[in-house]
Structure formats: C-alpha cells, structure tokens
Amino acid sequence: MHQEYTVIEGDFVNAGKASSSVKKTLKQLNVNPQVVKRVVVALYEAEVNAIAHAYGGKVLVDIDADKIKMVVADKGPGIPDIALAMQEGYSTARPEVRDMGFGAGMGLPNMQKNVDKLNVTSEVGVGTTVEMEVNFG
Amino acid sequence: MTLQSIVDKLGATVALGAERLDTEVEHAFASDLMSDVLTLKDTPVLVTGLCNVQTIRTCDMANLDVVVFVRNKRPTEDMIELAEDNDMVLICSQYSMFKTCGLLWELGMKPLY
Ligand SMILES: Nc1ncnc2c1ncn2[C@@H]1O[C@H](COP(=O)(O)OP(=O)(O)OP(=O)(O)O)[C@@H](O)[C@H]1O
Ligand SMILES: [Mg+2]
C-alpha cells in the first residue's frame, strides 16, 4: 500500500496529519499497538522537522505485510553536520518553532530510538531526506 | 484516583470529556516540550502550558488521553474537535505549572520517573 502526503513550511496546524492517517491505517491492519506508536512518533518528528526547519516537502509511505517504509523528503537549507544534528539537545529551532512546543533537539534521536532503520541524507541549500523502516514482527 | 478528583482538587473546568471523569489515573508527566512527551513509553496524564493543536497531535501519537492545561489556557475549537476524535479529556487549571503539579502530588499522583 502506497500513500503520499504534502507538508508545507510553517504549517503547524497540519503537522502530524500524515502520521495521524498512518496511525489509522496501521490500526485497521491490526499492527501491534506498541509498533504503531514507534512508527507514528518517528514519522511525526520527521514531519515536524520538514515543517519547522525546511520549506516543506513530501511524505511517502509504503506498507507491506511485514514492514513499513517512510520517506520524508524536503526542500530546504539541508543539514551541514548530520552527526551533530543527531546529538540529543542540539537544536537550531527558531522562536516560532519553540512556541509550538518543539526545539528540544530530541527529534532525530527519537527517530533513531523508534525505528529499525534510519538513513538521513542532506545537501546544504537543497534539502534533506529521512528514510525510515520499521518491521512489524 | 478519578479524573473527577483531579478536577475537584484543582477547582478546574473541563473543556472536553466531562462524561469520562470516572476514568482512573495514577501517573502524571509535566512538560511543555513535545519531543519530551514523545519519548514516553507510558500514558500518563499530561500537565502542560503548551496549548495549541500540536499538543493534541502529540497526544494522539503518544496515545495520551488526558491533558491538564495550566494557567487558565483554553483549548481552541480546532483543538477540541481533534481531541474529540480521540475521546480525550481536556482539563483547564487556573494555577501555574508549579502549583498544579504540587496539588496533584498532594492528591497522590505519581511521577513516571
Ligand atoms: N529537515 C531538516 N532540514 C534542515 N535542518 C534540519 C532538519 N531536520 C533537523 N534539522 C536540524 O537538526 C537539528 C536537530 O533536529 P531535531 O529534530 O533532533 O531537534 P529539533 O527539531 O531542533 O527539536 P525537537 O525535534 O526536539 O522538537 C534541528 O534543530 C535543525 O538544525
Ligand atoms: Mg525536530
């Protein structure tokens, strides 16, 4: 099953729509609730990052019998030092983003903890792509 | 304890879920940082000063059903609509985060960590 969503820069009102809809789908497919939570927490963090730190982008989701693959690809400033960005507490979030409850520098570490595979690629001045995989079994 | 006893202790108003106040709860977690909330493995009552749509979305992702907003912050219609889809209970405390947490502690609510 393939699903696609668009996320828009600064659109915090709709941040989480993709994750919410994935949650409903996985529930219907009777995926273990603990696994569902890991999936949606990771996807939500990635979605918020594309909205908060980049100029929006696309969320691509592929669900098959034993796993889910998620790609959040944004157009944006990119991440100059991915290893640094992955560190707990590192954040460059703007005040508007902090006002929305984000900017703890825990999003990327949260993704890492919740998924079975995480791959972050980024080109400065072009954008960032976050690929994640979670096995259902 | 029941949510009703929390509402009574805080002299709080209920913005959503008044019919679910007989729900029993034990643990609470207080934060304004949503990524912090997203690390929780459990599903405590969330005490927060952050009152926007992201608070509700975060609860949706983290399977949290009960939020206590501090300092008289009122959820908007958008928030209530979203929270209703998830059968949540939204409680508004007139007190600060510190006092709200103090009162909940007095009532016997337990921390997660
Ligand atoms: N899609 C992105 N585009 C550009 N920079 C990003 C992107 N995602 C993350 N970053 C950079 O990496 C930092 C760390 O991201 P992370 O998600 O861990 O924390 P945060 O978003 O700042 O705060 P939190 O996720 O805890 O609310 C960000 O502050 C930002 O500098
Ligand atoms: Mg983040």
Side-chain angles (χ1 to χ4, degrees), chain A residues 45-46 48-50 52-54 74 76-80 84-87 89-93 97-98 101-111 122 127-128 130, chain B residues 34-36:
Chain A
E45 292 280 16
V48 170
N49 278 357
H53 307 301
D74 67 54
I79 305 175
L84 180 63
M86 294 294 304
Q87 283 180 20
Y90 177 82
S91 176
T92 62
V97 174
R98 292 181 193 273
F102 291 91
M106 283 163 65
L108 283 164
N110 261 356
M111 291 176 223
S122 191
T128 300
V130 175
Chain B
M34 293 302 106
S35 288
D36 215 6

Side-chain angles (χ1 to χ4, degrees), chain A residues 55-75:
Chain A
Y55 319 139
K58 281 230 170 323
V59 179
L60 312 176
V61 178
D62 282 286
I63 302 169
D64 60 35
D66 57 351
K67 65 172 175 300
I68 180 168
K69 283 189 192 179
M70 301 166 276
V71 178
V72 180
D74 67 54
K75 289 195 175 67

